[in-house]
Amino acid sequence: MQRLCLLGASGSVGESTLKVLRLFPEVFELYSFSVNSNLVKAKSIIEEFSPSYAVITSDEVDKTLLGSRYKNTRVLYGASNMSEIVKMTPVHIVVTAVVGSLGVLPTIAAIEAKKKIAIANKETLVTFGPYINSLLEKYKVTLVPVDSEHNALFQLVESQKRENIASLTLTASGGSFRDLPIDKLKNVTVEEALNHPTWKMGPKITIDSAGLVNKGLEVIEAHFLFGFPYEKIEVVIHPESIVHGMIELIDGATLMYASHPDMIYPIAHSLFFPKLTPKQLIESKPPKWKKLNFWEPNLKRYPALTLAYETGKKGGTAPALFNAANEEAVSLFLNHKIQFTQIPEKIDSVLQSIAVEYPEELEAFMQADIQAREFIRGNS
Ligand SMILES: NC(=O)c1ccc[n+]([C@@H]2O[C@H](COP(=O)([O-])OP(=O)(O)OC[C@H]3O[C@@H](n4cnc5c(N)ncnc54)[C@H](OP(=O)(O)O)[C@@H]3O)[C@@H](O)[C@H]2O)c1
């Protein structure tokens, strides 16, 4: 039995991970999980899976609601307990499905404890990439990516000799406004932005997808996961979201990874890795793949993608600035404080105003993250 610690169990990736656990109760057991403030979800997870530990990270919840009423589940409060539950000896696999760069401390704890890590929390990798990679090398730990594009690339890259791979390609659905005239982007509403054409995801990543900020974060994530230079990481729009990643080989051929656009595929793969998921996940014929479209992104529509490449190439603390500025800007947009098109403008203003540093230690990356947030808050 493989015991799981699931951070961010109440979110979209958390929910899909629980679906996978329900499909394989003889293989995986939920040992512990965290939510931020969703006590209703926490209660239902405790009652269904009877885990040993539940962590509620928000300080603003009523601690008497879950209390000590569960015989088999100890409920812990406070964000630092995420790092405590990932380290526990019975845990075999840690799934990091919290949103935002705050996922860094439990990720570090999981690496130091040499756990198998299925990572969905891309903001941590983008913000702290050089530091996380140095830890992975020191502790000889591999991250298995849960992000569907990176999970696809992980499987493709694994199948080839590295010197035979010419480049990597991430596909992008194009988000909620793929077909909207560019001059209309300024006035889109939060509700429209949250209406993603193919994926059902949490609010932050759905907004990120609408402006291709998400793809920008993923380009940087791919750089840190696979070590390819930015010149060899490409993005194509693929509205059907059936092909998730491609690698081009030196002989000019392309290998593609395709599956239903459902997160249970990459999640199950990351949990079973290095084995393959032993049974069909969705009991139906493949969707109608008669017509698959691919085209280059229009960079006028998606200025954040250009910014992300520039940021990645600068390196150092630049991705930390990009990510934190974006987290703050998305939150402002979701709270109706700025327009959609101001998100890349806010990111750019941070990148223009705060100097990039090239540190090795964690604190300097954290400092860049804080500086960017303070800059946005001070200028809004
Ligand atoms: N959704 C997808 O299909 C998808 C695909 C690929 C990658 N990802 C990545 O996976 C991560 C999670 O995405 P998601 O869409 O699942 O997000 P989501 O639906 O918004 O869920 C976020 C989870 O994080 C918890 N959380 C929020 N704020 C927190 C805080 N301050 N401290 C601790 N926990 C906190 C939430 O708890 P509460 O519910 O209690 O607030 C929830 O469990 C993101 O990094 C995203 O980029 C997502």
Side-chain angles (χ1 to χ4, degrees), residues 8-13 35-38 57 97-99 102 120-123 147 201-202 205 263:
S10 50
S12 159
V13 173
V35 303
N36 189 38
S37 60
N38 191 339
T57 55
V98 290
V99 61
L102 57 93
N121 176 223
K122 69 187 75 172
E123 295 90 352
D147 225 335
M201 310 181 284
I205 185 175
M263 285 302 291

mmCIF file with all atom_site columns, all heavy atoms in Angstrom, residues 8-13 35-38 57 97-99 102 120-123 147 201-202 205 263, ligand 1:
data_model
loop_
_atom_site.group_PDB
_atom_site.id
_atom_site.type_symbol
_atom_site.label_atom_id
_atom_site.label_alt_id
_atom_site.label_comp_id
_atom_site.label_asym_id
_atom_site.label_entity_id
_atom_site.label_seq_id
_atom_site.pdbx_PDB_ins_code
_atom_site.Cartn_x
_atom_site.Cartn_y
_atom_site.Cartn_z
_atom_site.occupancy
_atom_site.B_iso_or_equiv
_atom_site.pdbx_formal_charge
_atom_site.auth_seq_id
_atom_site.auth_comp_id
_atom_site.auth_asym_id
_atom_site.auth_atom_id
_atom_site.pdbx_PDB_model_num
ATOM   1   N N   . GLY A 1 8   ? -3.326  20.564 -0.513  1.00 0.00 ? 8   GLY A N   1
ATOM   2   C CA  . GLY A 1 8   ? -4.259  21.256 -1.417  1.00 0.00 ? 8   GLY A CA  1
ATOM   3   C C   . GLY A 1 8   ? -5.374  20.327 -1.852  1.00 0.00 ? 8   GLY A C   1
ATOM   4   O O   . GLY A 1 8   ? -5.818  20.368 -3.004  1.00 0.00 ? 8   GLY A O   1
ATOM   5   N N   . ALA A 1 9   ? -5.856  19.496 -0.905  1.00 0.00 ? 9   ALA A N   1
ATOM   6   C CA  . ALA A 1 9   ? -6.828  18.442 -1.250  1.00 0.00 ? 9   ALA A CA  1
ATOM   7   C C   . ALA A 1 9   ? -8.181  18.989 -1.681  1.00 0.00 ? 9   ALA A C   1
ATOM   8   O O   . ALA A 1 9   ? -8.937  18.303 -2.368  1.00 0.00 ? 9   ALA A O   1
ATOM   9   C CB  . ALA A 1 9   ? -7.008  17.507 -0.048  1.00 0.00 ? 9   ALA A CB  1
ATOM   10  N N   . SER A 1 10  ? -8.496  20.229 -1.301  1.00 0.00 ? 10  SER A N   1
ATOM   11  C CA  . SER A 1 10  ? -9.820  20.767 -1.620  1.00 0.00 ? 10  SER A CA  1
ATOM   12  C C   . SER A 1 10  ? -9.871  21.448 -2.986  1.00 0.00 ? 10  SER A C   1
ATOM   13  O O   . SER A 1 10  ? -10.933 21.899 -3.415  1.00 0.00 ? 10  SER A O   1
ATOM   14  C CB  . SER A 1 10  ? -10.232 21.784 -0.552  1.00 0.00 ? 10  SER A CB  1
ATOM   15  O OG  . SER A 1 10  ? -9.175  22.716 -0.354  1.00 0.00 ? 10  SER A OG  1
ATOM   16  N N   . GLY A 1 11  ? -8.737  21.545 -3.682  1.00 0.00 ? 11  GLY A N   1
ATOM   17  C CA  . GLY A 1 11  ? -8.712  22.246 -4.965  1.00 0.00 ? 11  GLY A CA  1
ATOM   18  C C   . GLY A 1 11  ? -9.025  21.319 -6.124  1.00 0.00 ? 11  GLY A C   1
ATOM   19  O O   . GLY A 1 11  ? -9.409  20.150 -5.944  1.00 0.00 ? 11  GLY A O   1
ATOM   20  N N   . SER A 1 12  ? -8.839  21.856 -7.307  1.00 0.00 ? 12  SER A N   1
ATOM   21  C CA  . SER A 1 12  ? -9.166  21.112 -8.516  1.00 0.00 ? 12  SER A CA  1
ATOM   22  C C   . SER A 1 12  ? -8.229  19.902 -8.700  1.00 0.00 ? 12  SER A C   1
ATOM   23  O O   . SER A 1 12  ? -8.678  18.780 -8.953  1.00 0.00 ? 12  SER A O   1
ATOM   24  C CB  . SER A 1 12  ? -9.088  22.094 -9.688  1.00 0.00 ? 12  SER A CB  1
ATOM   25  O OG  . SER A 1 12  ? -8.929  21.444 -10.881 1.00 0.00 ? 12  SER A OG  1
ATOM   26  N N   . VAL A 1 13  ? -6.909  20.111 -8.541  1.00 0.00 ? 13  VAL A N   1
ATOM   27  C CA  . VAL A 1 13  ? -5.981  18.975 -8.661  1.00 0.00 ? 13  VAL A CA  1
ATOM   28  C C   . VAL A 1 13  ? -6.188  18.022 -7.482  1.00 0.00 ? 13  VAL A C   1
ATOM   29  O O   . VAL A 1 13  ? -6.141  16.787 -7.633  1.00 0.00 ? 13  VAL A O   1
ATOM   30  C CB  . VAL A 1 13  ? -4.508  19.464 -8.710  1.00 0.00 ? 13  VAL A CB  1
ATOM   31  C CG1 . VAL A 1 13  ? -3.537  18.294 -8.651  1.00 0.00 ? 13  VAL A CG1 1
ATOM   32  C CG2 . VAL A 1 13  ? -4.268  20.283 -9.974  1.00 0.00 ? 13  VAL A CG2 1
ATOM   33  N N   . VAL A 1 35  ? -5.949  21.472 3.611   1.00 0.00 ? 35  VAL A N   1
ATOM   34  C CA  . VAL A 1 35  ? -6.754  22.459 2.896   1.00 0.00 ? 35  VAL A CA  1
ATOM   35  C C   . VAL A 1 35  ? -6.400  23.793 3.537   1.00 0.00 ? 35  VAL A C   1
ATOM   36  O O   . VAL A 1 35  ? -5.778  23.823 4.608   1.00 0.00 ? 35  VAL A O   1
ATOM   37  C CB  . VAL A 1 35  ? -8.289  22.209 3.039   1.00 0.00 ? 35  VAL A CB  1
ATOM   38  C CG1 . VAL A 1 35  ? -8.659  20.824 2.562   1.00 0.00 ? 35  VAL A CG1 1
ATOM   39  C CG2 . VAL A 1 35  ? -8.767  22.442 4.466   1.00 0.00 ? 35  VAL A CG2 1
ATOM   40  N N   . ASN A 1 36  ? -6.779  24.885 2.903   1.00 0.00 ? 36  ASN A N   1
ATOM   41  C CA  . ASN A 1 36  ? -6.519  26.177 3.542   1.00 0.00 ? 36  ASN A CA  1
ATOM   42  C C   . ASN A 1 36  ? -7.660  26.507 4.503   1.00 0.00 ? 36  ASN A C   1
ATOM   43  O O   . ASN A 1 36  ? -7.464  26.525 5.719   1.00 0.00 ? 36  ASN A O   1
ATOM   44  C CB  . ASN A 1 36  ? -6.352  27.274 2.493   1.00 0.00 ? 36  ASN A CB  1
ATOM   45  C CG  . ASN A 1 36  ? -5.879  28.566 3.117   1.00 0.00 ? 36  ASN A CG  1
ATOM   46  O OD1 . ASN A 1 36  ? -5.056  28.558 4.029   1.00 0.00 ? 36  ASN A OD1 1
ATOM   47  N ND2 . ASN A 1 36  ? -6.404  29.684 2.656   1.00 0.00 ? 36  ASN A ND2 1
ATOM   48  N N   . SER A 1 37  ? -8.865  26.695 3.955   1.00 0.00 ? 37  SER A N   1
ATOM   49  C CA  . SER A 1 37  ? -9.974  27.093 4.838   1.00 0.00 ? 37  SER A CA  1
ATOM   50  C C   . SER A 1 37  ? -11.271 26.344 4.544   1.00 0.00 ? 37  SER A C   1
ATOM   51  O O   . SER A 1 37  ? -12.276 26.582 5.203   1.00 0.00 ? 37  SER A O   1
ATOM   52  C CB  . SER A 1 37  ? -10.222 28.600 4.687   1.00 0.00 ? 37  SER A CB  1
ATOM   53  O OG  . SER A 1 37  ? -10.545 28.868 3.332   1.00 0.00 ? 37  SER A OG  1
ATOM   54  N N   . ASN A 1 38  ? -11.238 25.456 3.569   1.00 0.00 ? 38  ASN A N   1
ATOM   55  C CA  . ASN A 1 38  ? -12.467 24.780 3.165   1.00 0.00 ? 38  ASN A CA  1
ATOM   56  C C   . ASN A 1 38  ? -12.784 23.618 4.123   1.00 0.00 ? 38  ASN A C   1
ATOM   57  O O   . ASN A 1 38  ? -12.459 22.446 3.873   1.00 0.00 ? 38  ASN A O   1
ATOM   58  C CB  . ASN A 1 38  ? -12.311 24.271 1.723   1.00 0.00 ? 38  ASN A CB  1
ATOM   59  C CG  . ASN A 1 38  ? -13.633 23.794 1.155   1.00 0.00 ? 38  ASN A CG  1
ATOM   60  O OD1 . ASN A 1 38  ? -14.556 23.468 1.899   1.00 0.00 ? 38  ASN A OD1 1
ATOM   61  N ND2 . ASN A 1 38  ? -13.711 23.743 -0.165  1.00 0.00 ? 38  ASN A ND2 1
ATOM   62  N N   . THR A 1 57  ? -4.704  25.140 7.099   1.00 0.00 ? 57  THR A N   1
ATOM   63  C CA  . THR A 1 57  ? -3.600  26.109 7.181   1.00 0.00 ? 57  THR A CA  1
ATOM   64  C C   . THR A 1 57  ? -4.054  27.523 7.555   1.00 0.00 ? 57  THR A C   1
ATOM   65  O O   . THR A 1 57  ? -3.289  28.278 8.139   1.00 0.00 ? 57  THR A O   1
ATOM   66  C CB  . THR A 1 57  ? -2.815  26.166 5.842   1.00 0.00 ? 57  THR A CB  1
ATOM   67  O OG1 . THR A 1 57  ? -3.723  26.444 4.782   1.00 0.00 ? 57  THR A OG1 1
ATOM   68  C CG2 . THR A 1 57  ? -2.096  24.878 5.572   1.00 0.00 ? 57  THR A CG2 1
ATOM   69  N N   . ALA A 1 97  ? -0.379  20.102 -4.374  1.00 0.00 ? 97  ALA A N   1
ATOM   70  C CA  . ALA A 1 97  ? -1.430  20.704 -5.217  1.00 0.00 ? 97  ALA A CA  1
ATOM   71  C C   . ALA A 1 97  ? -1.969  21.985 -4.599  1.00 0.00 ? 97  ALA A C   1
ATOM   72  O O   . ALA A 1 97  ? -3.108  22.363 -4.860  1.00 0.00 ? 97  ALA A O   1
ATOM   73  C CB  . ALA A 1 97  ? -2.548  19.694 -5.444  1.00 0.00 ? 97  ALA A CB  1
ATOM   74  N N   . VAL A 1 98  ? -1.141  22.646 -3.771  1.00 0.00 ? 98  VAL A N   1
ATOM   75  C CA  . VAL A 1 98  ? -1.544  23.981 -3.297  1.00 0.00 ? 98  VAL A CA  1
ATOM   76  C C   . VAL A 1 98  ? -1.254  24.968 -4.420  1.00 0.00 ? 98  VAL A C   1
ATOM   77  O O   . VAL A 1 98  ? -0.466  24.693 -5.322  1.00 0.00 ? 98  VAL A O   1
ATOM   78  C CB  . VAL A 1 98  ? -0.790  24.411 -2.010  1.00 0.00 ? 98  VAL A CB  1
ATOM   79  C CG1 . VAL A 1 98  ? -1.225  23.591 -0.818  1.00 0.00 ? 98  VAL A CG1 1
ATOM   80  C CG2 . VAL A 1 98  ? 0.709   24.360 -2.200  1.00 0.00 ? 98  VAL A CG2 1
ATOM   81  N N   . VAL A 1 99  ? -1.885  26.140 -4.348  1.00 0.00 ? 99  VAL A N   1
ATOM   82  C CA  . VAL A 1 99  ? -1.663  27.144 -5.382  1.00 0.00 ? 99  VAL A CA  1
ATOM   83  C C   . VAL A 1 99  ? -0.763  28.244 -4.818  1.00 0.00 ? 99  VAL A C   1
ATOM   84  O O   . VAL A 1 99  ? -0.921  28.662 -3.679  1.00 0.00 ? 99  VAL A O   1
ATOM   85  C CB  . VAL A 1 99  ? -3.016  27.705 -5.899  1.00 0.00 ? 99  VAL A CB  1
ATOM   86  C CG1 . VAL A 1 99  ? -3.829  28.396 -4.817  1.00 0.00 ? 99  VAL A CG1 1
ATOM   87  C CG2 . VAL A 1 99  ? -2.815  28.644 -7.073  1.00 0.00 ? 99  VAL A CG2 1
ATOM   88  N N   . LEU A 1 102 ? 3.724   29.805 -1.994  1.00 0.00 ? 102 LEU A N   1
ATOM   89  C CA  . LEU A 1 102 ? 3.746   29.384 -0.587  1.00 0.00 ? 102 LEU A CA  1
ATOM   90  C C   . LEU A 1 102 ? 3.961   27.872 -0.457  1.00 0.00 ? 102 LEU A C   1
ATOM   91  O O   . LEU A 1 102 ? 4.168   27.364 0.641   1.00 0.00 ? 102 LEU A O   1
ATOM   92  C CB  . LEU A 1 102 ? 2.426   29.778 0.094   1.00 0.00 ? 102 LEU A CB  1
ATOM   93  C CG  . LEU A 1 102 ? 1.155   29.225 -0.570  1.00 0.00 ? 102 LEU A CG  1
ATOM   94  C CD1 . LEU A 1 102 ? 0.712   27.915 0.039   1.00 0.00 ? 102 LEU A CD1 1
ATOM   95  C CD2 . LEU A 1 102 ? 0.057   30.247 -0.530  1.00 0.00 ? 102 LEU A CD2 1
ATOM   96  N N   . ALA A 1 120 ? 2.365   19.482 -8.629  1.00 0.00 ? 120 ALA A N   1
ATOM   97  C CA  . ALA A 1 120 ? 1.453   20.274 -9.472  1.00 0.00 ? 120 ALA A CA  1
ATOM   98  C C   . ALA A 1 120 ? 1.733   21.760 -9.266  1.00 0.00 ? 120 ALA A C   1
ATOM   99  O O   . ALA A 1 120 ? 1.499   22.564 -10.153 1.00 0.00 ? 120 ALA A O   1
ATOM   100 C CB  . ALA A 1 120 ? 0.001   19.972 -9.103  1.00 0.00 ? 120 ALA A CB  1
ATOM   101 N N   . ASN A 1 121 ? 2.250   22.085 -8.108  1.00 0.00 ? 121 ASN A N   1
ATOM   102 C CA  . ASN A 1 121 ? 2.437   23.477 -7.660  1.00 0.00 ? 121 ASN A CA  1
ATOM   103 C C   . ASN A 1 121 ? 3.574   24.164 -8.431  1.00 0.00 ? 121 ASN A C   1
ATOM   104 O O   . ASN A 1 121 ? 4.685   24.317 -7.946  1.00 0.00 ? 121 ASN A O   1
ATOM   105 C CB  . ASN A 1 121 ? 2.720   23.423 -6.135  1.00 0.00 ? 121 ASN A CB  1
ATOM   106 C CG  . ASN A 1 121 ? 3.034   24.765 -5.539  1.00 0.00 ? 121 ASN A CG  1
ATOM   107 O OD1 . ASN A 1 121 ? 3.948   24.885 -4.733  1.00 0.00 ? 121 ASN A OD1 1
ATOM   108 N ND2 . ASN A 1 121 ? 2.310   25.790 -5.925  1.00 0.00 ? 121 ASN A ND2 1
ATOM   109 N N   . LYS A 1 122 ? 3.243   24.615 -9.671  1.00 0.00 ? 122 LYS A N   1
ATOM   110 C CA  . LYS A 1 122 ? 4.279   25.153 -10.565 1.00 0.00 ? 122 LYS A CA  1
ATOM   111 C C   . LYS A 1 122 ? 4.901   26.435 -10.038 1.00 0.00 ? 122 LYS A C   1
ATOM   112 O O   . LYS A 1 122 ? 6.056   26.728 -10.309 1.00 0.00 ? 122 LYS A O   1
ATOM   113 C CB  . LYS A 1 122 ? 3.715   25.361 -11.962 1.00 0.00 ? 122 LYS A CB  1
ATOM   114 C CG  . LYS A 1 122 ? 2.705   26.474 -12.083 1.00 0.00 ? 122 LYS A CG  1
ATOM   115 C CD  . LYS A 1 122 ? 2.061   26.506 -13.445 1.00 0.00 ? 122 LYS A CD  1
ATOM   116 C CE  . LYS A 1 122 ? 1.053   25.403 -13.603 1.00 0.00 ? 122 LYS A CE  1
ATOM   117 N NZ  . LYS A 1 122 ? 0.241   25.418 -14.780 1.00 0.00 ? 122 LYS A NZ  1
ATOM   118 N N   . GLU A 1 123 ? 4.131   27.242 -9.260  1.00 0.00 ? 123 GLU A N   1
ATOM   119 C CA  . GLU A 1 123 ? 4.665   28.542 -8.809  1.00 0.00 ? 123 GLU A CA  1
ATOM   120 C C   . GLU A 1 123 ? 5.918   28.355 -7.953  1.00 0.00 ? 123 GLU A C   1
ATOM   121 O O   . GLU A 1 123 ? 6.819   29.196 -7.966  1.00 0.00 ? 123 GLU A O   1
ATOM   122 C CB  . GLU A 1 123 ? 3.600   29.320 -8.024  1.00 0.00 ? 123 GLU A CB  1
ATOM   123 C CG  . GLU A 1 123 ? 2.372   29.733 -8.843  1.00 0.00 ? 123 GLU A CG  1
ATOM   124 C CD  . GLU A 1 123 ? 1.255   28.693 -8.831  1.00 0.00 ? 123 GLU A CD  1
ATOM   125 O OE1 . GLU A 1 123 ? 1.478   27.577 -8.310  1.00 0.00 ? 123 GLU A OE1 1
ATOM   126 O OE2 . GLU A 1 123 ? 0.158   28.996 -9.353  1.00 0.00 ? 123 GLU A OE2 1
ATOM   127 N N   . ASP A 1 147 ? 1.521   18.621 -13.860 1.00 0.00 ? 147 ASP A N   1
ATOM   128 C CA  . ASP A 1 147 ? 1.023   19.497 -14.920 1.00 0.00 ? 147 ASP A CA  1
ATOM   129 C C   . ASP A 1 147 ? 0.931   18.643 -16.193 1.00 0.00 ? 147 ASP A C   1
ATOM   130 O O   . ASP A 1 147 ? 1.896   17.948 -16.537 1.00 0.00 ? 147 ASP A O   1
ATOM   131 C CB  . ASP A 1 147 ? 2.059   20.620 -15.130 1.00 0.00 ? 147 ASP A CB  1
ATOM   132 C CG  . ASP A 1 147 ? 1.388   21.976 -15.251 1.00 0.00 ? 147 ASP A CG  1
ATOM   133 O OD1 . ASP A 1 147 ? 0.221   22.007 -15.640 1.00 0.00 ? 147 ASP A OD1 1
ATOM   134 O OD2 . ASP A 1 147 ? 2.053   22.980 -14.947 1.00 0.00 ? 147 ASP A OD2 1
ATOM   135 N N   . MET A 1 201 ? -10.585 24.072 -13.871 1.00 0.00 ? 201 MET A N   1
ATOM   136 C CA  . MET A 1 201 ? -9.447  24.220 -12.946 1.00 0.00 ? 201 MET A CA  1
ATOM   137 C C   . MET A 1 201 ? -9.774  25.267 -11.897 1.00 0.00 ? 201 MET A C   1
ATOM   138 O O   . MET A 1 201 ? -10.804 25.925 -11.964 1.00 0.00 ? 201 MET A O   1
ATOM   139 C CB  . MET A 1 201 ? -8.200  24.667 -13.727 1.00 0.00 ? 201 MET A CB  1
ATOM   140 C CG  . MET A 1 201 ? -7.907  23.831 -14.958 1.00 0.00 ? 201 MET A CG  1
ATOM   141 S SD  . MET A 1 201 ? -6.429  24.359 -15.830 1.00 0.00 ? 201 MET A SD  1
ATOM   142 C CE  . MET A 1 201 ? -6.997  25.834 -16.665 1.00 0.00 ? 201 MET A CE  1
ATOM   143 N N   . GLY A 1 202 ? -8.853  25.462 -10.962 1.00 0.00 ? 202 GLY A N   1
ATOM   144 C CA  . GLY A 1 202 ? -9.037  26.493 -9.943  1.00 0.00 ? 202 GLY A CA  1
ATOM   145 C C   . GLY A 1 202 ? -9.015  27.881 -10.585 1.00 0.00 ? 202 GLY A C   1
ATOM   146 O O   . GLY A 1 202 ? -8.564  28.053 -11.720 1.00 0.00 ? 202 GLY A O   1
ATOM   147 N N   . ILE A 1 205 ? -5.362  29.567 -11.868 1.00 0.00 ? 205 ILE A N   1
ATOM   148 C CA  . ILE A 1 205 ? -4.777  28.997 -13.100 1.00 0.00 ? 205 ILE A CA  1
ATOM   149 C C   . ILE A 1 205 ? -5.690  29.255 -14.302 1.00 0.00 ? 205 ILE A C   1
ATOM   150 O O   . ILE A 1 205 ? -5.223  29.390 -15.427 1.00 0.00 ? 205 ILE A O   1
ATOM   151 C CB  . ILE A 1 205 ? -4.432  27.492 -12.924 1.00 0.00 ? 205 ILE A CB  1
ATOM   152 C CG1 . ILE A 1 205 ? -3.716  26.970 -14.164 1.00 0.00 ? 205 ILE A CG1 1
ATOM   153 C CG2 . ILE A 1 205 ? -5.597  26.657 -12.594 1.00 0.00 ? 205 ILE A CG2 1
ATOM   154 C CD1 . ILE A 1 205 ? -3.213  25.537 -14.052 1.00 0.00 ? 205 ILE A CD1 1
ATOM   155 N N   . MET A 1 263 ? -7.272  15.628 -15.847 1.00 0.00 ? 263 MET A N   1
ATOM   156 C CA  . MET A 1 263 ? -6.077  15.586 -15.000 1.00 0.00 ? 263 MET A CA  1
ATOM   157 C C   . MET A 1 263 ? -5.838  14.221 -14.360 1.00 0.00 ? 263 MET A C   1
ATOM   158 O O   . MET A 1 263 ? -4.759  13.973 -13.816 1.00 0.00 ? 263 MET A O   1
ATOM   159 C CB  . MET A 1 263 ? -6.162  16.668 -13.917 1.00 0.00 ? 263 MET A CB  1
ATOM   160 C CG  . MET A 1 263 ? -5.908  18.076 -14.427 1.00 0.00 ? 263 MET A CG  1
ATOM   161 S SD  . MET A 1 263 ? -4.279  18.259 -15.211 1.00 0.00 ? 263 MET A SD  1
ATOM   162 C CE  . MET A 1 263 ? -3.189  18.102 -13.810 1.00 0.00 ? 263 MET A CE  1
HETATM 163 N N1  . LIG B 2 .   ? -6.269  22.689 -11.894 1.00 0.00 ? 1   LIG B N1  1
HETATM 164 C C1  . LIG B 2 .   ? -5.547  22.092 -12.801 1.00 0.00 ? 1   LIG B C1  1
HETATM 165 O O1  . LIG B 2 .   ? -6.072  21.376 -13.681 1.00 0.00 ? 1   LIG B O1  1
HETATM 166 C C2  . LIG B 2 .   ? -4.049  22.240 -12.782 1.00 0.00 ? 1   LIG B C2  1
HETATM 167 C C3  . LIG B 2 .   ? -3.307  21.672 -13.825 1.00 0.00 ? 1   LIG B C3  1
HETATM 168 C C4  . LIG B 2 .   ? -1.923  21.767 -13.772 1.00 0.00 ? 1   LIG B C4  1
HETATM 169 C C5  . LIG B 2 .   ? -1.287  22.424 -12.734 1.00 0.00 ? 1   LIG B C5  1
HETATM 170 N N2  . LIG B 2 .   ? -2.037  22.993 -11.744 1.00 0.00 ? 1   LIG B N2  1
HETATM 171 C C6  . LIG B 2 .   ? -1.348  23.675 -10.646 1.00 0.00 ? 1   LIG B C6  1
HETATM 172 O O2  . LIG B 2 .   ? -1.725  23.005 -9.443  1.00 0.00 ? 1   LIG B O2  1
HETATM 173 C C7  . LIG B 2 .   ? -1.812  23.943 -8.371  1.00 0.00 ? 1   LIG B C7  1
HETATM 174 C C8  . LIG B 2 .   ? -3.220  23.882 -7.787  1.00 0.00 ? 1   LIG B C8  1
HETATM 175 O O3  . LIG B 2 .   ? -4.135  24.316 -8.781  1.00 0.00 ? 1   LIG B O3  1
HETATM 176 P P1  . LIG B 2 .   ? -5.713  24.142 -8.588  1.00 0.00 ? 1   LIG B P1  1
HETATM 177 O O4  . LIG B 2 .   ? -6.329  24.561 -9.856  1.00 0.00 ? 1   LIG B O4  1
HETATM 178 O O5  . LIG B 2 .   ? -6.006  22.779 -8.037  1.00 0.00 ? 1   LIG B O5  1
HETATM 179 O O6  . LIG B 2 .   ? -5.999  25.265 -7.471  1.00 0.00 ? 1   LIG B O6  1
HETATM 180 P P2  . LIG B 2 .   ? -7.314  25.470 -6.595  1.00 0.00 ? 1   LIG B P2  1
HETATM 181 O O7  . LIG B 2 .   ? -8.449  24.699 -7.156  1.00 0.00 ? 1   LIG B O7  1
HETATM 182 O O8  . LIG B 2 .   ? -7.458  26.921 -6.400  1.00 0.00 ? 1   LIG B O8  1
HETATM 183 O O9  . LIG B 2 .   ? -6.891  24.774 -5.196  1.00 0.00 ? 1   LIG B O9  1
HETATM 184 C C9  . LIG B 2 .   ? -5.860  25.315 -4.432  1.00 0.00 ? 1   LIG B C9  1
HETATM 185 C C10 . LIG B 2 .   ? -5.626  24.479 -3.185  1.00 0.00 ? 1   LIG B C10 1
HETATM 186 O O10 . LIG B 2 .   ? -4.641  25.167 -2.391  1.00 0.00 ? 1   LIG B O10 1
HETATM 187 C C11 . LIG B 2 .   ? -5.203  25.492 -1.111  1.00 0.00 ? 1   LIG B C11 1
HETATM 188 N N3  . LIG B 2 .   ? -4.722  26.817 -0.709  1.00 0.00 ? 1   LIG B N3  1
HETATM 189 C C12 . LIG B 2 .   ? -5.145  28.028 -1.170  1.00 0.00 ? 1   LIG B C12 1
HETATM 190 N N4  . LIG B 2 .   ? -4.489  29.013 -0.523  1.00 0.00 ? 1   LIG B N4  1
HETATM 191 C C13 . LIG B 2 .   ? -3.670  28.417 0.355   1.00 0.00 ? 1   LIG B C13 1
HETATM 192 C C14 . LIG B 2 .   ? -2.782  28.908 1.360   1.00 0.00 ? 1   LIG B C14 1
HETATM 193 N N5  . LIG B 2 .   ? -2.596  30.242 1.558   1.00 0.00 ? 1   LIG B N5  1
HETATM 194 N N6  . LIG B 2 .   ? -2.090  28.012 2.105   1.00 0.00 ? 1   LIG B N6  1
HETATM 195 C C15 . LIG B 2 .   ? -2.250  26.678 1.915   1.00 0.00 ? 1   LIG B C15 1
HETATM 196 N N7  . LIG B 2 .   ? -3.100  26.147 1.011   1.00 0.00 ? 1   LIG B N7  1
HETATM 197 C C16 . LIG B 2 .   ? -3.799  27.014 0.227   1.00 0.00 ? 1   LIG B C16 1
HETATM 198 C C17 . LIG B 2 .   ? -6.718  25.511 -1.323  1.00 0.00 ? 1   LIG B C17 1
HETATM 199 O O11 . LIG B 2 .   ? -7.394  25.307 -0.084  1.00 0.00 ? 1   LIG B O11 1
HETATM 200 P P3  . LIG B 2 .   ? -8.907  25.925 0.141   1.00 0.00 ? 1   LIG B P3  1
HETATM 201 O O12 . LIG B 2 .   ? -9.775  25.215 -0.837  1.00 0.00 ? 1   LIG B O12 1
HETATM 202 O O13 . LIG B 2 .   ? -9.221  25.596 1.546   1.00 0.00 ? 1   LIG B O13 1
HETATM 203 O O14 . LIG B 2 .   ? -8.791  27.398 -0.151  1.00 0.00 ? 1   LIG B O14 1
HETATM 204 C C18 . LIG B 2 .   ? -6.867  24.342 -2.299  1.00 0.00 ? 1   LIG B C18 1
HETATM 205 O O15 . LIG B 2 .   ? -6.808  23.129 -1.609  1.00 0.00 ? 1   LIG B O15 1
HETATM 206 C C19 . LIG B 2 .   ? -1.453  25.303 -8.975  1.00 0.00 ? 1   LIG B C19 1
HETATM 207 O O16 . LIG B 2 .   ? -0.085  25.531 -8.785  1.00 0.00 ? 1   LIG B O16 1
HETATM 208 C C20 . LIG B 2 .   ? -1.745  25.127 -10.459 1.00 0.00 ? 1   LIG B C20 1
HETATM 209 O O17 . LIG B 2 .   ? -0.975  25.986 -11.273 1.00 0.00 ? 1   LIG B O17 1
HETATM 210 C C21 . LIG B 2 .   ? -3.392  22.909 -11.757 1.00 0.00 ? 1   LIG B C21 1
#
